[in-house]
């Protein structure tokens, strides 16, 4: 059975983009493959973080994973910092990675832009990500579009390592959905919806109330003209709403274009708000139930133990190959 691995940063409240582009695919994959899902708290440290806030966000993200449908009996859910093999392998892989290739990473350039001082960890972030993936002999990595470049880098590092030291790593492939891999910001539909955007109206959080969701979608920026058709290049705002609607309601783009032919943007927004609420409201309620009733520490401790059992074997193989064991 192929192994699947993916991770989400506890860097804020999970957005509709995270859900449609990543989390819902994690849930589907757990029925087909052996799955490992990680709360990547070490990655979240690459930008300044208050320790108490980080702890709280780890807990909320664990509840979101479970509320969205991750079943800890099927998939291994764990916190990255509880499996020290991630940091250890990251160092070994840093010695196999080049300044040039890391300098080309778009996420680094975007997150470093305009800052006076940038942590080295932000630069080496994709190497830690490669360690996450390679520790589990992962074949498939479901991610949103923005992570494609990081998975390519992980493949390059794994191939380079295998060429030098023999067949140590499984070389993974990314799995990026055709639709929904890049949900756009509601206020600026040419930018990615992101949980670290300081403007709350730009994203829908999985913890937003139905009223908040309704308000944000009704205020979403749309395009000139009045036709409702899927055309991301010329109609980014309307196309984003159509994608969100299609993935939330299960109706194809062709069906939606037919339903909304001759109707106005207001109708599209109202309908989109109602289908998004229908998907997110049960998850939001479940998050609060879980936070009150589930021993998350126990679930995560069990996940970490299962993850370590796999990760420690891979790390040992790498250490032996490199001559440090
Ligand atoms: P941040 O804004 O803090 O960088 P983020 O919202 O991009 O965070 P991540 O934790 O970096 O979230 O991403 C978790 C997963 O969600 C990744 O697979 C990523 O590709 C996916 N993802 C993030 N934003 C979107 C989006 N707007 N549309 C589709 N997928 C997304
Ligand atoms: N960098 C990813 C989060 C992440 C990840 C991973 C994703 C960390 N390690 C391993 C897939 C596989 C992001 O979404 N920003």
């Amino acid at each position: 059975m192929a192994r699947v691995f993916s991770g989400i940063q506890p860097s804020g409240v999970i957005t509709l983009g995270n859900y449609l582009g990543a989390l819902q695919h994690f849930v589907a994959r757990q029925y087909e493959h052996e799955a490992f899902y990680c709360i990547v708290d070490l990655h979240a440290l690459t930008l300044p973080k208050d320790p108490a806030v980080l702890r709280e966000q780890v807990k909320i993200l664990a509840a979101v994973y479970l509320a969205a449908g991750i079943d800890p009996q099927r998939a291994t859910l764990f916190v990255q910092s509880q499996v020290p093999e991630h940091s250890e392998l990251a160092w070994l892989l840093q010695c196999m990675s080049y300044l040039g290739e890391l300098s080309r990473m778009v996420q680094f350039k975007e997150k470093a832009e305009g800052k006076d001082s940038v942590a080295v960890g932000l630069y080496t972030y994709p190497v830690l990500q490669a360690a996450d993936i390679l520790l589990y002999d992962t074949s498939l990595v479901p991610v949103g579009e923005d992570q494609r470049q990081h998975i390519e880098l992980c493949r390059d590092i794994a191939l380079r390592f295998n060429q030098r030291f023999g067949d140590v790593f499984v070389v993974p492939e990314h799995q990026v959905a055709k639709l929904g891999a890049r949900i756009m910001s509601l206020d600026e539909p040419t930018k990615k919806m992101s949980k670290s955007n300081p403007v709350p109206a730009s994203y829908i959080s999985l913890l937003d109330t139905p009223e908040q969701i309704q308000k944000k979608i009704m205020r979403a920026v749309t395009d000139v003209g009045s036709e409702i058709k899927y055309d991301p290049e010329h109609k980014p705002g309307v196309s984003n709403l159509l994608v969100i609607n299609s993935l939330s309601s299960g109706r194809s783009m062709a069906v939606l274009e037919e339903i909304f032919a001759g109707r106005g943007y207001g109708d599209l927004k109202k309908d989109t708000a109602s289908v998004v609420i229908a998907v997110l409201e049960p998850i939001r309620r479940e998050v609060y139930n879980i936070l009150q009733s589930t021993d998350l520490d126990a679930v995560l401790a069990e996940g970490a133990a299962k993850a370590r059992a796999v990760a420690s074997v891979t790390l040992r193989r790498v250490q032996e190959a490199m001559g440090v064991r």
Side-chain angles (χ1 to χ4, degrees), residues 5-9 40 43 107 125 129 132-133 141 143 147 150-151:
F5 183 98
S6 201
I8 301 182
Q9 297 184 76
V40 292
H43 278 109
Q107 183 178 295
Y125 176 117
Q129 181 167 353
D132 297 342
I133 297 166
V141 189
V143 281
Q147 294 303 308
H150 286 172
I151 311 303

Side-chain angles (χ1 to χ4, degrees), residues 1 4-6 23 25-38 65-66 69-78 299-300 302-304 306-307:
M1 208 178 352
V4 171
F5 183 98
S6 201
L23 190 49
H25 300 293
F26 299 1
V27 176
R29 296 293 89 78
Q30 72 181 340
Y31 298 103
E32 305 153 359
H33 302 292
E34 190 183 353
F36 290 81
Y37 297 127
C38 192
Y65 264 114
L66 298 181
I70 297 300
D71 173 0
Q73 302 302 322
R74 282 182 186 279
T76 301
L77 177 67
F78 69 104
V299 171
L300 295 172
E302 201 174 309
K306 282 201 245 166

Side-chain angles (χ1 to χ4, degrees), residues 148-164:
R148 199 188 276 269
Q149 195 186 28
H150 286 172
I151 311 303
E152 286 296 332
L153 176 75
C154 172
R155 285 173 61 84
D156 290 346
I157 296 172
L159 286 166
R160 183 180 306 145
F161 193 101
N162 285 352
Q163 207 161 39
R164 176 137 168 226

